[in-house]
Amino acid sequence: MSVRIATWNVNGINPRIDRVTGWLQSAAPDVVCLQELKCTPEQFPQEKLAELGYEAAVRAGGRWNGVAVLSKLGLEDVTIDLPGQPEFDGAVEARAVGATCGPVRVWSLYVPNGREVGHAHYEYKLQWLEALRQVAAEDASGARPFAVLGDFNVAPKDEDVWDIAKFDGATHVSELERTALIELQKSGLDEVYPRALKYDIPFTFWDYRMLGFQKNKGMRIDHIYGNAPFTAAVKDAYVDREARRPGKKDAPPSMAPSDHAPVVADLEL
DNA sequence: ATGGTAGTTCGACTA
């Protein structure tokens, strides 16, 4: 069977609900990992997504964070939060939800930003990635197709940001963050590297400020890592930068874009 | 040029 799996940081699902549902209808993914819902569980637009044929596993946290797995292939063994997920300020945040969708098991992940190298949030980010590695290592070794998808807030290589000189000493490009991703891969996951639909590097994020998208000042920080049964089934993968394009002048606010673009993988399972 | 934009608990904080 053909299965289309996507990950998308929507930066608030309700303010841009028509942008999201429009993309779901046109791209027609079977499984979608969403991040930055920025809503409470009650505010999650369950019915609008059900109308499009999606069941949803939701880990909403209110004002910040929030992740979900949408599936047209069924939804089983939902896991809220990573086993062993570290806390920040005494709370386990809404950054991880796992689910089995028909033949594939996925996690939707929103890795902590880190704020500044050396900040407590940066240490939290590194701990979080280590907790993820431990969880992923178990499922990665199985025969079932398995992937972790989401906003990792790490650019794996220098070319994955628009100007590495501007990121000197910054988070997202530091050696420890990149090492954490390499360690994740060593646990049995390979990156599903997407095609760019324009330009050389398939950036997934462009800051709203300073015409970031228009000038292609982007970053490649949203990723898909799959185990061998998953990556062997991948036929194509791409970043849908059109979904990041600003709306037309008279478009309603609900059509405003996220600052991230979806990453899409097509599998034959 | 230390700015700019957008989301949230309406306004300081996060990204």
Side-chain angles (χ1 to χ4, degrees):
Chain A
M1 65 187 290
S2 296
V3 177
R4 171 166 283 184
I5 302 179
T7 179
W8 193 10
N9 178 325
V10 293
N11 188 31
I13 191 165
N14 286 314
R16 65 187 86 272
I17 185 63
D18 292 321
R19 168 76 67 151
V20 172
T21 55
W23 185 81
L24 291 174
Q25 287 177 281
S26 61
D30 300 291
V31 176
V32 188
C33 296
L34 299 176
Q35 300 88 36
E36 283 211 86
L37 301 175
K38 292 186 172 177
C39 69
T40 64
E42 296 74 27
Q43 291 166 336
F44 185 79
Q46 196 99 32
E47 288 181 13
K48 283 180 180 167
L49 298 170
E51 285 170 16
L52 301 180
Y54 292 101
E55 292 180 82
V58 182
R59 171 61 163 115
R63 185 178 194 182
W64 290 309
N65 315 311
V67 290
V69 176
L70 311 183
S71 175
K72 288 181 172 178
L73 307 178
L75 208 48
E76 295 179 342
D77 299 324
V78 171
T79 310
I80 301 292
D81 303 330
L82 293 173
Q85 182 174 320
E87 299 181 352
F88 189 72
D89 269 353
V92 174
E93 298 179 309
R95 296 180 176 276
V97 60
T100 301
C101 307
V104 60
R105 180 156 182 84
V106 299
W107 279 94
S108 178
L109 306 170
Y110 180 44
V111 176
N113 172 287
R115 298 185 190 166
E116 292 173 26
V117 174
H119 192 284
H121 208 262
Y122 178 81
E123 301 302 323
Y124 169 52
K125 181 179 194 174
L126 297 175
Q127 291 168 8
W128 210 96
L129 287 166
E130 169 57 17
L132 171 62
R133 188 195 64 75
Q134 292 184 28
V135 172
E138 291 183 33
D139 273 318
S141 61
R144 176 169 59 187
F146 169 77
V148 296
L149 308 89
D151 179 356
F152 285 75
N153 271 316
V154 181
K157 298 229 165 73
D158 285 357
E159 66 256 31
D160 292 323
V161 296
W162 58 277
D163 182 356
I164 191 61
K166 297 282 199 299
F167 288 79
D168 189 28
T171 60
H172 295 60
V173 300
S174 76
E175 185 173 351
L176 288 175
E177 289 163 86
R178 287 174 170 175
T179 301
L181 287 193
I182 291 167
E183 291 300 317
L184 180 66
Q185 289 174 274
K186 283 185 188 165
S187 74
L189 299 171
D190 278 327
E191 186 180 358
V192 176
Y193 190 91
R195 285 187 289 129
L197 299 187
K198 189 177 178 183
Y199 306 117
D200 295 333
I201 304 296
F203 293 146
T204 64
F205 165 85
W206 298 260
D207 199 299
Y208 287 123
R209 296 167 289 189
M210 306 299 283
L211 298 173
F213 182 75
Q214 291 81 348
K215 296 178 179 174
N216 198 35
K217 293 183 173 180
M219 303 172 72
R220 196 174 75 81
I221 56 177
D222 299 84
H223 308 299
I224 301 175
Y225 294 97
N227 69 353
F230 187 97
T231 58
V234 173
K235 301 302 174 192
D236 188 21
Y238 62 95
V239 175
D240 190 354
R241 74 190 305 283
E242 290 305 309
R244 171 63 180 82
R245 190 174 292 285
K248 298 204 167 109
K249 248 187 297 181
D250 51 354
S254 61
M255 283 300 294
S258 168
D259 43 5
H260 294 251
V263 186
V264 182
D266 287 322
L267 287 71
E268 190 60 39
L269 288 168

